[in-house]
Amino acid sequence: MSITNLRSVPTPTTALDDWKVWQHAQRLSHRTISERIRVISQLHNESGVQPVNAQAIDIVEWMAEHDEWSDSTAVTYASYLNAWFRWLQITDRRSDDPMVKVGTPRTPDREPRPIADSDVPKLLNARMWTKTRYMILLALLAGLRVHEIAKIRGEDFDHAAGLIWVRGKGRSVRSVPMHPVLREVASLMPETGWWFPMRGYPGEHTLSKSVSDIVGRTMRRAGVKGTPHALRHWYGSALHDDGHDIRVVQELMRHKSIASTQIYTKVSDQRRRDAIVGLDLMRGLRDVA
């Protein structure tokens, strides 16, 4: 083999397997672990620098090469790098943390982007497979994320209590009351096993990316703008716009922090207009009276 060919052979990323085992021991979700591993491997493959030995300048130059990343992606990847270098310090693999010099990208102000109310009937009236419709209804009426939809099972529906038990982020299991439409859907689906099994592998659930692709294609065909996650945004925004307390919405969206809920709960233009119209210059006199 020539020297050129030897250089083209990618070298393993040092300590990555140990970090993976450590994260599993911390009971982090498989999704979080796989994404962290992917990003650290990407840093190694694209920069040619072993992440164990990476310096601040290596990280800055690597991130600067990716203008296509959104602000939120840059923030997420920086958090993965922070976790990586903290672990290296904890396990005495290095004494410094280059992320101190790199700093943290500014977290962007995020606006909720629900699909329009008028787009909901448009989407539901579009031609689609029955199971695609059920995926969409789980997002619109229970606020499920695509990876939660992919893993939904018949056993997750407690018909007597009227609850859906959802396996969410970080291995959490939370309940959501069943909407009447979802009660009807659940009565038509198997009581046990995956609702959406992987094609050719009935013992495995479909991939979250498959759910995202299927729902996304259906939305585009129906002329509905937005991503599949915008259906969850609509769920949160509609609950809030119907006058439900933000704490109720937080519980129904299964958020640990109310700050996360506020990202999803868009205040409608009509409610904002009503608030302005209701401003009373004479309110001081009214209070005295």
Side-chain angles (χ1 to χ4, degrees):
M1 184 180 290
S2 67
I3 292 176
T4 302
N5 288 337
L6 281 171
R7 287 176 177 171
S8 65
V9 177
T11 58
T13 307
T14 303
L16 212 53
D17 288 341
D18 289 345
W19 190 41
K20 184 176 182 179
V21 171
W22 185 87
Q23 291 178 95
H24 277 295
Q26 301 299 307
R27 298 191 59 77
L28 298 180
S29 72
H30 175 74
R31 188 161 174 259
T32 296
I33 295 171
S34 61
E35 275 298 289
R36 285 179 169 185
I37 296 293
R38 181 186 66 78
V39 170
I40 300 304
S41 297
Q42 183 179 344
L43 166 63
H44 177 205
N45 295 332
E46 293 180 352
S47 70
V49 176
Q50 276 288 353
V52 168
N53 304 317
Q55 300 301 311
I57 188 62
D58 301 319
I59 299 165
V60 169
E61 289 179 347
W62 175 63
M63 297 186 78
E65 289 173 358
H66 288 281
D67 291 336
E68 77 280 7
W69 289 351
S70 66
D71 290 343
S72 58
T73 296
V75 170
T76 300
Y77 287 6
S79 73
Y80 295 164
L81 290 166
N82 277 317
W84 165 252
F85 288 111
R86 278 198 306 271
W87 175 76
L88 291 177
Q89 288 184 302
I90 290 170
T91 56
D92 296 325
R93 284 173 166 83
R94 67 184 290 167
S95 59
D96 66 318
D97 181 355
M99 294 302 290
V100 172
K101 294 181 179 179
V102 173
T104 303
R106 185 180 67 83
T107 302
D109 294 329
R110 291 194 287 173
E111 281 280 328
R113 295 183 180 179
I115 63 171
D117 287 344
S118 58
D119 279 342
V120 174
K122 184 192 300 185
L123 177 59
L124 294 176
N125 287 329
R127 292 184 61 186
M128 67 184 82
W129 294 106
T130 299
K131 285 196 173 182
T132 302
R133 185 176 304 279
Y134 293 171
M135 290 177 179
I136 291 170
L137 289 172
L138 284 168
L140 288 172
L141 298 177
L144 269 60
R145 306 171 178 92
V146 291
H147 70 92
E148 295 166 345
I149 294 171
K151 297 176 184 177
I152 204 76
R153 301 170 63 93
E155 295 90 336
D156 297 329
F157 291 81
D158 185 338
H159 295 271
L163 298 174
I164 306 172
W165 290 94
V166 185
R167 294 171 180 81
K169 292 182 176 180
R171 302 177 186 270
S172 67
V173 180
R174 302 279 296 278
S175 66
V176 177
M178 242 191 288
H179 189 280
V181 172
L182 290 180
R183 279 182 178 271
E184 182 179 348
V185 168
S187 70
L188 301 173
M189 293 295 282
E191 293 184 1
T192 60
W194 305 115
W195 270 25
F196 310 110
M198 187 181 296
R199 183 176 296 179
Y201 299 89
E204 300 290 335
H205 63 78
T206 192
L207 300 176
S208 57
K209 186 178 186 305
S210 298
V211 174
S212 183
D213 290 344
I214 291 168
V215 174
R217 284 197 300 269
T218 305
M219 292 173 68
R220 288 191 293 273
R221 284 201 305 271
V224 174
K225 294 181 179 179
T227 66
H229 200 62
L231 305 182
R232 176 171 162 82
H233 280 243
W234 179 87
Y235 168 81
S237 295
L239 287 169
H240 189 245
D241 199 41
D242 284 345
H244 298 295
D245 183 85
I246 189 71
R247 278 287 292 118
V248 173
V249 181
Q250 179 189 0
E251 287 292 320
L252 291 173
M253 297 198 75
R254 296 167 285 114
H255 282 148
K256 289 183 179 179
S257 167
I258 203 164
S260 298
T261 309
Q262 290 171 330
I263 294 171
Y264 288 78
T265 50
K266 181 178 181 180
V267 178
S268 70
D269 290 339
Q270 185 58 52
R271 287 185 70 186
R272 295 197 301 167
R273 282 193 291 268
D274 290 346
I276 294 298
V277 171
L279 281 175
D280 184 0
L281 293 173
M282 300 295 114
R283 62 184 293 129
L285 297 177
R286 183 187 67 209
D287 290 343
V288 171

